[in-house]
Structure formats: structure tokens, C-alpha cells
Amino acid sequence: EVYVVETGGGSVQGGGSLRLSCQATGYDECRYDMAVYRQAPGKDREFVSSINSDGSVKYAESVQGRFIISRKNIKYVAYLQMDSLTADDTAKYYCQTTVTECSDRGLYWGRGTQVTVSS
């Protein structure tokens, strides 16, 4: 079983920044692709950004140029730096990890962390 935990949500004024961390249960033999989704009240969950085990990254058009996803030496930890936040970024943010190449392969979600941006 793989567990995913998000930290770093909170409240910020428009134009401010937050840093979201996603950490999965780490096993050295596994391969981890990490992604972040968000869901605003009354809306569907939407893709925000992803970073694969090979380092390739993707962004939703709405966050391109404002958000940066990265991972450091620990392959099962990813960071989403969110700058120039606006009220439209207010949502619950969820981390997702796709685990491959080990017995715990599968897709796992965290419980989410709230990001609130006041205008």
C-alpha cells in the first residue's frame, strides 16, 4: 500500500505564493510519477501539473508560467511552487502518484489540502 500526503496549503492574498509538497510512501525499487490536481467547489477535478520519473513535466494552460513542479533527490517527493496566485486558484489540491515497477504498482491519491486565495 502506498500513501500520499499533501502539505503546504493555506490562505494567501492575491499575488502571493504557496509551496505544495507531495510525499508518497517511499520504496527504492518503485518508480513514481507525480501529479497535482485541484477541485474548486461545484467544479470537476482538473489537472494542474505533473512530473514523471524521467523528469518530464506538464502544466495546465491556466497555471503555465506561474507554477513550477519539481522533485529533488528523493524520487517519491514532489514540490509545486505556486506564484502569482489569483482567486481562480482557490481549490482543494490533490496529489496523485502512479507507482510502477514494484509490487505496489497502482494509482494513489492523497486526501487533499485547501488553497484559498483572497482577492
Side-chain angles (χ1 to χ4, degrees):
E1 185 73 21
V2 174
Y3 298 94
V4 184
V5 177
E6 305 94 343
T7 56
S11 297
V12 66
Q13 287 192 331
S17 299
L18 287 171
R19 189 190 195 210
L20 183 69
S21 297
C22 302
Q23 179 161 352
T25 311
Y27 302 104
D28 288 340
E29 67 271 24
C30 298
R31 172 174 162 171
Y32 298 83
D33 294 335
M34 309 286 283
V36 179
Y37 287 73
R38 67 186 180 187
Q39 187 167 19
K43 295 187 177 181
D44 293 333
R45 190 172 295 189
E46 64 175 5
F47 170 81
V48 175
S49 182
S50 65
I51 183 164
N52 288 344
S53 58
D54 62 1
S56 58
V57 300
K58 292 182 180 178
Y59 298 97
E61 188 174 337
S62 60
V63 306
Q64 184 79 42
R66 300 188 298 120
F67 292 11
I68 297 176
I69 195 166
S70 64
R71 64 201 308 172
K72 294 186 176 178
N73 295 331
I74 303 174
K75 60 181 179 179
Y76 43 84
V77 179
Y79 305 96
L80 184 68
Q81 178 66 38
M82 303 183 288
D83 297 326
S84 302
L85 287 162
T86 73
D88 289 340
D89 296 313
T90 295
K92 195 165 187 178
Y93 284 68
Y94 297 87
C95 294
Q96 178 207 77
T97 185
T98 303
V99 181
T100 57
E101 300 183 4
C102 64
S103 60
D104 283 308
R105 64 179 65 85
L107 191 150
Y108 302 89
W109 290 92
R111 293 187 174 184
T113 185
Q114 181 67 35
V115 170
T116 301
V117 184
S118 56
S119 56

